[in-house]
Amino acid sequence: MSNRAVVYKEPGKVAVENIGFPDLVLRDGPGVNPLNVGRKCEHGVILKVVATNICGSDQHMVRGRTTAPSGLALGHEITGEVIEVGRDVEFMKVGDLVSVPFNIACGRCRSCKSQDTHICENVNPDRPGSAYGYVDMGGWVGGQSEYVMVPYADFQLLKFPDKAQAMEKILDLTMLSDIFPTGFHGAYSAGVTIGSTVYIAGAGPVGLAAAHSAQLLGASCVIVGDMIEERLAQARSFGCETINLRHHDDIGEQIAQILGTPEVDCAVDCVGFEAHGHGSEQGEAPATVLNSIMQVTRAGGKLGIPGLYVTGDPGAVDEDAKIGTLKIRIGLGWAKAHHFVTGQTPVMKYHDFLMKSILSGKAQIAKAVNATLISLEEAPQGYQTFDKGAAKKFVIDPHGLVKR
């Protein structure tokens, strides 16, 4: 059987190619860590992919801002139907419809046992933490494809209780693999609670997910900042206040016009290392968001930082930034006694109750992020459109299974 997938070719270019049908072994290929080659995964399953999403983290690689090799199969946001189970799988069955956490986690190491599944110690020989279809993450094959292998199935997979009900809400449920837990983690770790005022930096899909999560957590006012008006309009569509950072470089002044004070209780960085300076003529300045959220968060506040920062960025603005060394005003954060929470999101800590929020109708995440369905063949165009700042979250439907 063939298995068509979205693969990274060169900076600015992806293509849909046949990568071969998966089996329960991690075989050699683009980006696979040599120490992972031949790894047997009888604890895994093969999924027929029902929905898989384009993520802003994928765009970093496609722009050439990482060391991703040509031919790397992309995609870490995966929802699918189990079509084959390994010998050691006990609880997942053929026919189950499941959400796959983008973190790959063994369930056996110290980190996993502490619910820190984002820093599993056994899946990536280079460092703790792994993900499908991502550079320097061990080489697990991506899921923007027709079929994909998922290891440690009994531990990781979130089974939807009713298949027909799940398909009715699949555009919401597909967000459980990454951006809904990621946005929620950003807001939750920033301490958002009843009555909080919160500033969200970035109105891409993760920023919009964080904003909706802040509303679910009870925030009294959610302010979203971005440089693209279309994305800010999407944030306003579900009740957020907004700041256009292309027109305003003083966030505190803009927050004061909304709240009467230039500070918020907490803030979330949903931008990461490709941040730009604020104002119409500003170029890339990777520490901008981190410094600005320290400026506008009250003393004693918390900062959630789900935005991606990397240790290797060949396209960075200076030599320090190429290894992730940024000019952060840590003295300001220290003086204000801020709490910082960084790193990948431990999806399994959140995905079950977020699923229930979706199924009950409480969470409207597909609406918040403007989920937009495309075919696998349309994925290259989706990448181009998303890269231009479209206020959409592209959901790939490889088999035409999702109701139009």
Side-chain angles (χ1 to χ4, degrees), residues 91-393:
F91 303 112
M92 294 294 156
K93 308 299 181 187
V94 171
D96 287 346
L97 188 61
V98 297
S99 176
V100 183
F102 81 91
N103 326 110
I104 302 169
C106 71
R108 297 152 166 81
C109 68
R110 177 178 178 179
S111 293
C112 286
K113 289 177 180 178
S114 302
Q115 280 197 305
D116 292 323
T117 53
H118 56 314
I119 46 173
C120 174
E121 298 157 42
N122 288 330
V123 288
N124 181 359
D126 287 334
R127 66 180 69 88
S130 189
Y132 303 89
Y134 213 86
V135 61
D136 296 333
M137 287 285 189
W140 300 90
V141 179
Q144 284 173 17
S145 56
E146 294 175 299
Y147 302 93
V148 68
M149 187 268 282
V150 174
Y152 305 107
D154 279 334
F155 176 64
Q156 295 192 100
L157 295 181
L158 176 67
K159 178 184 172 182
F160 300 138
D162 184 289
K163 202 169 179 180
Q165 179 195 30
M167 287 304 296
E168 288 293 320
K169 289 183 174 284
I170 198 66
L171 288 181
D172 292 281
L173 293 170
T174 188
M175 306 304 166
L176 290 171
S177 58
D178 183 354
I179 69 161
F180 196 10
T182 293
F184 189 91
H185 176 65
Y188 181 78
S189 59
V192 179
T193 187
I194 304 290
S196 296
T197 58
V198 56
Y199 173 67
I200 310 286
V206 169
L208 297 171
H212 185 44
S213 297
Q215 293 173 332
L216 293 172
L217 286 164
S220 61
C221 183
V222 180
I223 304 170
V224 181
D226 201 284
M227 305 181 82
I228 299 174
E229 183 55 37
E230 182 186 354
R231 289 183 165 184
L232 293 172
Q234 180 63 26
R236 290 192 293 272
S237 75
F238 59 95
C240 300
E241 300 285 346
T242 61
I243 300 171
N244 190 319
L245 301 170
R246 193 173 298 282
H247 301 153
H248 306 286
D249 59 3
D250 189 333
I251 302 178
E253 179 182 325
Q254 298 305 308
I255 289 174
Q257 290 186 19
I258 297 167
L259 297 177
T261 176
E263 290 187 325
V264 289
D265 295 321
C266 44
V268 187
D269 172 5
C270 297
V271 178
F273 72 103
E274 286 192 72
H276 281 64
H278 301 153
S280 59
E281 303 299 325
Q282 296 296 319
E284 190 170 309
T288 298
V289 172
L290 292 170
N291 288 330
S292 64
I293 62 176
M294 285 189 282
Q295 176 192 340
V296 301
T297 302
R298 67 172 180 84
K302 296 180 180 179
L303 312 177
I305 309 173
L308 177 66
Y309 290 88
V310 294
T311 56
D313 175 11
V317 293
D318 56 47
E319 292 303 311
D320 283 340
K322 286 181 179 179
I323 58 170
T325 301
L326 309 181
K327 295 180 180 178
I328 298 168
R329 293 186 63 194
I330 192 65
L332 176 61
W334 190 93
K336 296 178 80 171
H338 283 156
H339 296 237
F340 296 74
V341 178
T342 67
Q344 281 188 35
T345 297
V347 169
M348 293 178 67
K349 194 173 287 187
Y350 307 109
H351 65 175
D352 183 64
F353 65 74
L354 292 177
M355 174 188 71
K356 292 171 184 174
S357 296
I358 289 169
L359 294 177
S360 71
K362 179 72 172 175
Q364 302 285 331
I365 187 64
K367 179 182 177 182
V369 302
N370 194 16
T372 302
L373 201 64
I374 61 175
S375 69
L376 188 63
E377 301 302 326
E378 292 172 311
Q381 181 59 51
Y383 268 93
Q384 291 184 22
T385 304
F386 187 42
D387 193 47
K388 294 174 182 175
K392 297 177 179 180
K393 175 68 172 178

